Amino acid sequence: MAPAAVEGDRSKTAVFAIVLLAIALVLVGLISLSVGAAGLPLRNVVAALWAGPQGQGVPAGEALIIWQIRLPRILLGMLIGASLAVAGAVLQGLFRNPLADPGLVGVSSGAALGAVSVIVFGPGILAPVLVATGIFALPLAAFLGGLISTILLYSIATRRGRTSVATMLLAGIALAAFAAAGTGLLVYVASEQQLREITFWSLGALSGASWSKLAASGPIMALVLIAAPVLGRGLNAIVLGEAEAYHLGVNAQLLKKLAIFLVAAATGAAVAVSGVIGFVGIVVPHLLRLAIGPDHRALLPACALLGAILLLVADMIARIIVAPAELPIGIVTAFLGAPFFLWLLLRNRGIVDL
């Protein structure tokens, strides 16, 4: 088959997949709103959404559950899943390697260290900063932590436009270990109340979701999701090599700076409200590359949709499996993602041929 015909078939497959994922996201979102300690019929969920926050014609208890507890949690979960998946896809395009993931290469750990620093030092030496930045203090600190980690990782792993996979993974392990050591030090000096908040970050959870947290981090993640597809053409070119990208008219240096900034912003905003949730950024892009191909112009929006779906499903499992208690969602994504990562490693070594 001619290359143009293959490209046309892939474009049709990508459009079909994106439409299908958008429909699936709406359905999973509605199901997620109905699932929990108090199960609600889907028709009641739709009626409560239609009635609005005042809930006229809907039982007051159900309107309260939908609008004050579950809806901010679902929206936050969608944004976090989409942001982590898109950050993973951008990192993999930037490093030209499918093993790059914000959680695995230390970016999430750096963001968590930034957030934990605000928790511990916020009442003391960072009090003026906290007063000046208000509800944005935590997302900003997480963003700075993620940005520093991403820049260090890229600087260490890339030489003359080439990225060593082994160096990237080892540097990621070292950065994650350093961030974990910093977090451990902060745990040592933290008060009991701060210790409980830090535990929340280390396990990853959506249980603390609220409209105020959505208002603080949601716009940052939404802007990243809107801006990321602009990098699609440039990432396609940089995957071929920086010299080839230059001949195609792509400013590789500017593209790398934008990519690093978006990855840090997406990861920092997500970690600021949910803690460290791993493996979404590696599982989602890899599955979609198998289904719709490597074109980042389609891959990035598809990653946003599938990442949102995956995190909502993981959140439902976390709420159901030990009900009426609740598992931290980071444990669920680790159980789902770690075997996939091992399979991916073996496949890349040629041990598994699937």
Side-chain angles (χ1 to χ4, degrees):
M1 188 179 290
V6 174
E7 186 67 26
D9 288 344
R10 279 191 169 177
S11 296
K12 289 178 184 175
T13 303
V15 171
F16 178 72
I18 289 172
V19 172
L20 203 62
L21 287 169
I23 295 170
L25 178 59
V26 173
L27 293 176
V28 173
L30 288 173
I31 294 170
S32 190
L33 282 170
S34 72
V35 170
L40 301 175
L42 274 177
R43 62 177 181 280
N44 292 17
V45 170
V46 175
L49 291 175
W50 183 258
Q54 302 305 320
Q56 292 179 349
V58 178
E62 293 186 2
L64 182 70
I65 291 172
I66 294 294
W67 281 95
Q68 297 303 321
I69 300 173
R70 291 187 186 169
L71 190 57
R73 178 180 185 133
I74 300 307
L75 293 176
L76 204 57
M78 285 181 177
L79 285 171
I80 292 168
S83 298
L84 292 177
V86 168
V90 171
L91 264 186
Q92 289 160 22
L94 186 66
F95 282 102
R96 285 179 279 170
N97 191 280
L99 299 179
D101 169 72
L104 291 172
V105 296
V107 179
S108 295
S109 300
L113 177 59
V116 170
S117 300
V118 169
I119 293 173
V120 174
F121 298 122
I125 58 175
L126 292 181
V129 178
L130 214 60
V131 171
T133 53
I135 59 173
F136 296 103
L138 217 53
L140 282 174
F143 163 71
L144 288 175
L147 181 64
I148 292 170
S149 298
T150 310
I151 292 173
L152 284 174
L153 180 70
Y154 190 83
S155 303
I156 294 169
T158 304
R159 282 289 178 274
R160 297 173 185 170
R162 293 182 177 276
T163 302
S164 163
V165 178
T167 305
M168 179 192 72
L169 291 176
L170 291 173
I173 292 170
L175 287 172
F178 183 81
T183 304
L185 181 63
L186 294 177
V187 167
Y188 184 76
V189 300
S191 66
E192 287 191 14
Q193 173 61 30
Q194 291 168 341
L195 197 56
R196 279 194 288 273
E197 290 187 54
I198 294 170
T199 303
F200 164 81
W201 297 108
S202 64
L203 294 176
L206 292 177
S207 56
S210 64
W211 287 111
S212 61
K213 287 187 176 180
L214 186 62
S217 291
I220 300 172
M221 291 186 277
L223 285 175
V224 170
L225 294 175
I226 293 169
V230 176
L231 301 180
R233 177 177 169 274
L235 287 173
N236 285 346
I238 212 166
V239 165
L240 302 173
E242 291 197 22
E244 287 79 1
Y246 173 78
H247 290 300
L248 290 170
V250 174
N251 186 336
Q253 295 305 317
L254 178 62
L255 177 79
K256 285 189 284 189
K257 289 175 183 174
L258 284 174
I260 288 173
F261 181 83
L262 290 182
V263 167
T267 308
V271 169
V273 289
S274 68
V276 179
I277 297 175
F279 294 104
V280 176
I282 193 169
V283 171
V284 172
H286 197 77
L287 286 177
L288 285 170
R289 273 195 206 91
L290 294 175
I292 66 174
D295 187 345
H296 287 85
R297 292 171 298 180
L299 184 66
L300 292 174
C303 278
L305 293 168
L306 186 57
I309 293 171
L310 179 65
L311 206 68
L312 289 187
V313 171
D315 183 46
M316 281 193 281
I317 294 172
R319 283 188 280 156
I320 293 171
I321 198 166
V322 293
E326 185 177 311
L327 269 182
I329 195 170
I331 294 176
V332 179
T333 57
F335 270 122
L336 295 175
F340 180 85
F341 180 65
L342 286 174
W343 169 78
L344 189 58
L345 278 176
L346 295 175
R347 186 171 183 267
N348 280 1
R349 289 178 56 193
I351 294 174
V352 177
D353 186 17
L354 294 173

